[in-house]
Amino acid sequence: MTPSQIELVQDSFAKVAPISDQVAVIFYDRLFEVAPSVRGLFPDDLTEQRKKLMGTLAVVVNGLSNLEAVLPAASALAKRHVNYGAMAEHYPVVGAALLWTLEKGLGDAWTPEVAAAWIAAYGTLSGYMIAEAYGSAEAAE
Ligand code: HEM
């Protein structure tokens, strides 16, 4: 990610921060619409889940300019997700639902540059989490 992409992600996330509860509601609605099979992995009541997701996203977004600092937490998060039943192939689905949600939340502020910056950010994070949780063929001995 370039420094200007990091800035775009941070600035756009700041714009939806005041409506983060709605963002989380829209995100899970969208996720379960496109991937109904993952609904059963989550608790029935998503109230706490919504807060945790948005809180973690805020930490990661703020940490983009100093990625090394957030990687240990991202690794631990990824490993916990194995126990939640998350699979590597779920990550792109979650990413698509997240981007779709941000697009709705940001309206006109969702420009092609902002979209590209978020794609880079989610790609970096999810690529790292997948590698940490599921490893490469060599690592999985
Ligand atoms: C970058 C991507 C993701 C982030 C930032 C994220 C964030 C979180 C956070 C903060 C929690 C709260 C629990 C904890 O901290 O351990 C959580 C729980 C959970 N996540 Fe994710 N997640 C991501 C990707 C995924 C994916 C790809 C799936 C697959 C369907 C998934 C499914 C779940 C489930 C099932 C739970 C827990 C349910 C329970 O409490 O039993 N997440 N996630």
Side-chain angles (χ1 to χ4, degrees), residues 76-100:
L77 178 68
K79 287 169 186 162
R80 288 199 297 278
H81 274 70
V82 178
N83 297 325
Y84 301 152
M87 294 186 284
E89 54 265 38
H90 291 145
Y91 280 82
V93 182
V94 164
L98 178 64
L99 264 66
W100 187 92

Side-chain angles (χ1 to χ4, degrees), residues 36-84:
S37 65
V38 305
R39 180 63 185 95
L41 302 178
F42 290 87
D44 290 345
D45 182 352
L46 292 169
T47 315
E48 283 306 308
Q49 186 74 29
R50 290 189 191 110
K51 290 191 192 119
K52 286 181 191 165
L53 173 76
M54 296 310 290
T56 301
L57 279 179
V59 170
V60 173
V61 165
N62 290 326
L64 283 176
S65 26
N66 182 16
L67 208 52
E68 290 73 38
V70 294
L71 291 184
S75 173
L77 178 68
K79 287 169 186 162
R80 288 199 297 278
H81 274 70
V82 178
N83 297 325
Y84 301 152

